Each structure stands twice: as C-alpha cells, then as structure tokens.
Amino acid sequence: MDRIVLYIFGAIGLLPLFFPKSIIDTLQIGDSVVIYRKLGVHLVNQVTQNGIIINKLIKKRFPAYKSVAFRPSSIHKLIGQTYALEKFHLALFVFYSLTMVYALVHQQFGWAFIILMTNLIYNVYPNLLQQYIRLKLVVYRKKIQSVS
C-alpha cells in the first residue's frame, strides 16, 4: 500500500474519536440487552480484560473488590469509559474497513478476508460489548436512583 494512502486512511480513521456521544448513540443496535445476547456479546464479556472471568479472579484475591461501585459517580465514570472505548474501536474499524476495500480493489482477496475477520473480532464485537455494558449500566443507575 502506498504510504500516502495509508496516511489518508489513518486520518479518516481518526475522525470517530471526535464524534459526540449523540452520534455514538445512533450506532447502538438495540435498546435492551436481548439483541446483544442473541449475537453472543455476553460471551465476549466473559473473556475481555475487564470481563467476568478477570473480575472473578480479582474478587477471589481481593474479596472487597467491586467492578461497579453502588454510587452514581462510579456508574457515570464507567459509562464515559464505554463511550471512549467504543470511539477507539470505531476508529480502528473505519481504518481497517478502508484497508479491506483497498485490498479488494487490488484483488488481494486473501488479505481482504483476513482483515474482515480480524475487524469483526477486534472491533465490531468490542463495540457491541461497549453498547451492551452501557445498557446494563443504565439499568443499574436507575436502580440506584430508585433506592436513593
């Protein structure tokens, strides 16, 4: 790939980092966790770096540990984190999608397929995971507000 094309794709890929939350919200595929569970996103949540398995291991070693504190400020912070991570993976998704199209145009079908598959695994599912987590946090936040 020509270096100038790579720079252009990189610059275009950075654009989602500047999207406001309102744009990110329009990309959300559902308003409940049902569709995410059907797509297996809850399974991805098992094995991620902040996922269920890691949290269980931490809790085993540090019994007082809580991944989500029962405070609105903690939930607000985590919701903000989901937006940041979603923007990051969206930026990578855009960059690698452009790269995949470039490979297709240049009839490099093997590379296009590899990029497509890795893009799904490393960017599409992590984005869906952030949406899934955000939906769960909003429900959790509502529970806290009703207790208060």
Side-chain angles (χ1 to χ4, degrees), residues 13-137:
L14 291 175
L15 292 177
L17 297 175
F18 302 100
F19 287 174
K21 290 179 183 177
S22 59
I23 290 178
I24 300 300
D25 287 338
T26 62
L27 300 175
Q28 190 148 331
I29 63 169
D31 8 347
S32 78
V33 296
V34 174
I35 185 119
Y36 297 94
R37 292 188 70 77
K38 286 181 181 178
L39 291 171
V41 174
H42 65 291
L43 299 173
V44 174
N45 195 30
Q46 297 281 326
V47 295
T48 60
Q49 63 211 27
N50 296 325
I52 293 169
I53 293 173
I54 298 299
N55 283 332
K56 283 182 181 178
L57 290 172
I58 293 170
K59 189 143 181 88
K60 192 174 189 179
R61 183 154 163 92
F62 304 101
Y65 172 78
K66 291 185 189 260
S67 57
V68 180
F70 201 68
R71 293 187 319 270
S73 62
S74 173
I75 293 171
H76 181 73
K77 179 181 174 188
L78 287 172
I79 289 173
Q81 184 180 13
T82 65
Y83 281 109
L85 289 170
E86 191 169 351
K87 287 178 184 182
F88 170 76
H89 284 289
L90 184 57
L92 290 175
F93 172 78
V94 168
F95 173 77
Y96 286 110
S97 294
L98 291 170
T99 305
M100 182 191 69
V101 169
Y102 181 90
L104 286 171
V105 167
H106 289 86
Q107 298 179 354
Q108 297 177 346
F109 302 114
W111 278 113
F113 179 75
I114 290 169
I115 294 168
L116 171 68
M117 296 312 292
T118 55
N119 210 5
L120 282 172
I121 294 167
Y122 291 108
N123 296 311
V124 173
Y125 264 87
N127 266 351
L128 295 176
L129 178 61
Q130 297 313 312
Q131 295 172 9
Y132 172 78
I133 291 169
R134 197 163 43 248
L135 286 171
K136 291 180 75 169
L137 287 170

